[in-house]
Amino acid sequence: MALRRVLNVSVAQMGPVARSESRHKVVNRMIKLMEEAHQQGSSFVVFPELALTTFFPRWDYDDNDELESWFEVNMPNAYTNRLFECAVQLGCGFYLGYAELEEDSLGRKQFFNTSILVDTKGCIIGKYRKIHLPGTDEPVTGASHQHLEKKYFDVGNLGFPAFNFQGGVFGMCICNDRRWPEVWRVLGLQGVEVVALGYNTPMENRYGLSKLTDLSMFHNHLCMQAGAYQNGTWVLAAAKAGVEEGIHHIGGSCIISPTGEIVGICKSEDDEVITAECDLSEGDKIRETIFNFENHRQIKYYGSITSQTGALKPNN
Ligand code: CDV
């Protein structure tokens, strides 16, 4: 009989982080959430995208020092050390999203929207840098709020790696990545059993498309449930939720099983932990049958996925 590989995992949704809130205070909140996850029997917890600060790409900065103050040059560092220590003390690994500044030996700076996987020894065992950066590289006149990720971040340069972690195969992505089926399949092709991700999703559509605003929670879950089912993987998704600096962000942080069903969901728009027991082998049934990639994928017909970006209409 196949061995059951069961892991208790948590998603730690966070309420708003004010622009003035210090990293020290934010880390205090995160430690409280990790302790709660531990009390719920968890050995892994997922925090949101850019968890340590407010969602700073909503503002346009002229001052480089101010902009760079949102980024972490080292990880762990004086502020986040306590999180790493807590992981060891509680035997609870974590996924953390943060803004990363990397400087090469020639002093050239690169800026990434990053996530890491940290194990129960407090070691970083995996890193991902966000690839699908939404928004614009210039402020949009007349928009209800800005979303300047394309201005402040470089496109991630690590691909979509998967990692052997906590007895399973783990992948990561960040926020807007979850809307792209390509991300899920590239992870699926590495046999991921768990995909961890964080998000900051404004409720209001910047372009005034109210229909899309109404559907923001539906689309949030739709893309992740599809990604889970089509690749037979667990999905652990943590939002930064609530009204942050006047912008309302959706919550709906959740745990999705490899069948695409939501098995746990946050009810509030505040700091909140949910936990579920994940059988890491549960996706095998799907990967061995309906989505048996080896048996059913027809790669000679998928070329346009990697050879073109925009849609080309037929000219007949
Ligand atoms: N942080 C994000 O990537 N947010 C996007 C919004 C801007 C659409 C998202 O996909 O949720």
Side-chain angles (χ1 to χ4, degrees), residues 72-139:
E72 316 300 320
V73 178
N74 300 303
M75 188 57 68
N77 57 34
Y79 298 106
T80 55
N81 245 333
R82 287 183 302 137
L83 269 180
F84 285 68
E85 286 163 10
C86 200
V88 179
Q89 267 164 27
L90 301 179
C92 187
F94 63 90
Y95 164 109
L96 170 69
Y98 66 98
E100 178 193 13
L101 197 174
E102 188 180 63
E103 199 166 334
D104 68 16
S105 52
L106 298 172
R108 286 175 303 215
K109 290 175 180 173
Q110 281 197 292
F111 301 84
F112 297 106
N113 187 338
T114 294
S115 61
I116 49 173
L117 283 179
V118 177
D119 69 11
T120 52
K121 293 193 179 103
C123 299
I124 298 174
I125 67 99
K127 182 183 277 192
Y128 168 70
R129 289 168 169 164
K130 186 173 181 179
I131 287 180
H132 296 96
L133 298 172
T136 53
D137 56 9
E138 289 294 335

Side-chain angles (χ1 to χ4, degrees), residues 37-65:
H38 173 66
Q39 277 156 21
Q40 292 176 18
S42 192
S43 54
F44 179 64
V45 59
V46 178
F47 292 112
E49 173 192 34
L50 301 178
L52 300 170
T53 64
T54 197
F55 190 77
F56 64 87
R58 69 169 68 93
W59 293 293
D60 189 22
Y61 303 97
D62 295 325
D63 178 352
N64 260 357
D65 288 347

Side-chain angles (χ1 to χ4, degrees), residues 227-288:
Y229 165 60
Q230 291 170 347
N231 296 280
T233 181
W234 290 91
V235 177
L236 313 177
K240 178 115 72 56
V243 181
E244 187 180 272
E245 299 295 343
I247 305 295
H248 192 175
H249 289 241
I250 63 168
S253 302
C254 59
I255 299 176
I256 302 170
S257 79
T259 53
E261 292 160 284
I262 295 177
V263 298
I265 186 160
C266 286
K267 303 274 186 296
S268 74
E269 289 188 343
D270 219 323
D271 290 8
E272 182 179 346
V273 177
I274 50 168
T275 298
E277 185 188 88
C278 294
D279 180 346
L280 295 173
S281 302
E282 197 167 318
D284 291 355
K285 290 172 252 170
I286 286 176
R287 284 193 300 265
E288 286 162 10

